[in-house]
Amino acid sequence: MEKKLEIFSHFEECPVRKVLNRCGDKWSVLILLVLGEVDNMRFNKLHKTIGDISQKMLTVTLRTLEADGLIKRTVFPEIPPRVEYEITERGKSLLVHINKLVDWAEENMEDIMESRAKFES
Amino acid sequence: MEKKLEIFSHFEECPVRKVLNRCGDKWSVLILLVLGEVDNMRFNKLHKTIGDISQKMLTVTLRTLEADGLIKRTVFPEIPPRVEYEITERGKSLLVHINKLVDWAEENMEDIMESRAKFES
DNA sequence: CGGCATCCCTGCCGATACTG
DNA sequence: CAGTATCGGCAGGGATGCCG
């Protein structure tokens, strides 16, 4: 067990942290969830679907997800341009676990909200 | 499927987001992982075990985890004071899914690092 | 020992304007 | 349509000092 603790602590450059930190940002998980529900989706459709994300953060987050090989970006050389995003196999394998987390959150959010309310008082 | 998308998008007050956002901060997951490996742990031991967390953020994060009912805080009225933290059943049920994510990260981090390196060029 | 209060700064993120 | 570029706010988080 001491061994296992060492994995996560004292190593600021811990690779597990490097990977998981990307899931901790504001939009990555949400985008993966959306792209997990469809075959592919264009930039503007993503923008409208998520609703409250800025164009800039949509672009930035899509780029980092692409860099990690979690989504694939396809540019069609047309005018006007068309860009489609789709989740990769690697992304799907991650999404499985993310969906478990979402399910857990749905199951427990009432209790959690109640705990938070009590904790205030 | 459209229904499911609605759950996550366009609702800034989405309760699922409210819950999962707490996992997205810098230290919550790490603390849960540590407390999941032991019966209980005192404040200073936690501080030393994690190593690169500030005292302030350790306190703050422990409080939010406690507020969500994921950990339990026990104060022993001694001098010098002793405070022990332990994971709750709710916390354990979350930890199951978090550990899956960690396993996934360990399995995929090499490929991901390679993808990131290629993406730079 | 286990905090809390304060100051301060980085960097995430949003808003806006411009482009091929 | 799908971006890029720039500016700026502000919240997360670190460093330090004080306290019961």
Side-chain angles (χ1 to χ4, degrees):
Chain A
M1 156 262 164
E2 291 294 337
K3 272 267 181 293
K4 185 157 189 187
L5 287 188
E6 285 179 12
I7 295 176
F8 309 113
S9 54
H10 279 291
F11 292 111
E12 306 181 27
E13 296 306 310
C14 169
V16 173
R17 285 202 211 178
K18 277 188 182 178
V19 172
L20 289 185
N21 280 346
R22 296 263 178 134
C23 304
D25 69 4
K26 193 171 178 181
W27 301 111
S28 293
V29 165
L30 192 53
I31 291 176
L32 279 179
L33 284 167
V34 172
L35 288 179
E37 296 289 321
V38 296
D39 285 340
N40 57 65
M41 196 178 279
R42 297 180 62 168
F43 185 88
N44 267 1
K45 182 76 187 301
L46 266 169
H47 198 185
K48 282 180 222 160
T49 301
I50 295 180
D52 58 343
I53 187 175
S54 68
Q55 201 175 31
K56 173 188 168 182
M57 288 316 299
L58 181 55
T59 303
V60 169
T61 310
L62 287 169
R63 287 295 184 285
T64 63
L65 290 173
E66 188 194 2
D68 283 9
L70 299 173
I71 66 173
K72 180 159 149 273
R73 177 174 180 265
T74 309
V75 182
F76 296 86
E78 308 170 352
I79 295 190
R82 178 161 59 105
V83 180
E84 286 183 357
Y85 295 90
E86 63 182 303
I87 196 167
T88 62
E89 288 306 313
R90 188 185 297 167
K92 285 180 187 172
S93 71
L94 171 59
L95 196 55
V96 170
H97 304 300
I98 291 178
N99 268 317
K100 298 279 188 187
L101 267 183
V102 172
D103 293 343
W104 181 92
E106 285 179 339
E107 288 167 17
N108 291 273
M109 64 183 180
E110 278 192 36
D111 293 342
I112 289 177
M113 291 306 169
E114 199 175 326
S115 294
R116 285 185 197 176
K118 277 184 189 168
F119 194 76
E120 299 298 324
S121 57
Chain B
M1 155 261 163
E2 291 295 336
K3 272 268 181 293
K4 185 157 188 188
L5 285 188
E6 282 178 15
I7 296 175
F8 308 114
S9 54
H10 279 291
F11 293 110
E12 307 181 25
E13 297 306 311
C14 168
V16 174
R17 283 202 211 179
K18 275 188 182 176
V19 172
L20 289 185
N21 280 347
R22 296 263 177 134
C23 305
D25 69 5
K26 195 171 178 181
W27 300 110
S28 293
V29 165
L30 193 52
I31 291 175
L32 280 179
L33 284 167
V34 172
L35 288 179
E37 298 288 321
V38 296
D39 283 342
N40 56 65
M41 195 177 281
R42 296 179 62 169
F43 184 87
N44 268 0
K45 181 79 188 300
L46 265 169
H47 197 187
K48 283 179 219 158
T49 301
I50 295 181
D52 58 341
I53 188 175
S54 68
Q55 202 177 31
K56 172 188 167 184
M57 286 319 297
L58 181 55
T59 301
V60 169
T61 309
L62 286 170
R63 285 297 181 285
T64 63
L65 290 173
E66 188 195 0
D68 283 9
L70 299 172
I71 67 174
K72 179 158 150 273
R73 178 174 181 264
T74 309
V75 182
F76 295 86
E78 308 170 355
I79 293 190
R82 179 161 59 104
V83 180
E84 288 183 356
Y85 294 91
E86 63 182 302
I87 195 166
T88 61
E89 289 306 313
R90 189 186 295 170
K92 284 181 187 171
S93 71
L94 171 58
L95 196 55
V96 170
H97 304 301
I98 290 179
N99 268 317
K100 299 278 187 188
L101 266 184
V102 173
D103 294 342
W104 181 92
E106 285 180 337
E107 287 167 19
N108 290 273
M109 65 184 178
E110 279 192 36
D111 292 343
I112 289 176
M113 292 305 171
E114 200 174 326
S115 293
R116 285 185 196 176
K118 276 185 188 166
F119 194 76
E120 299 298 324
S121 57

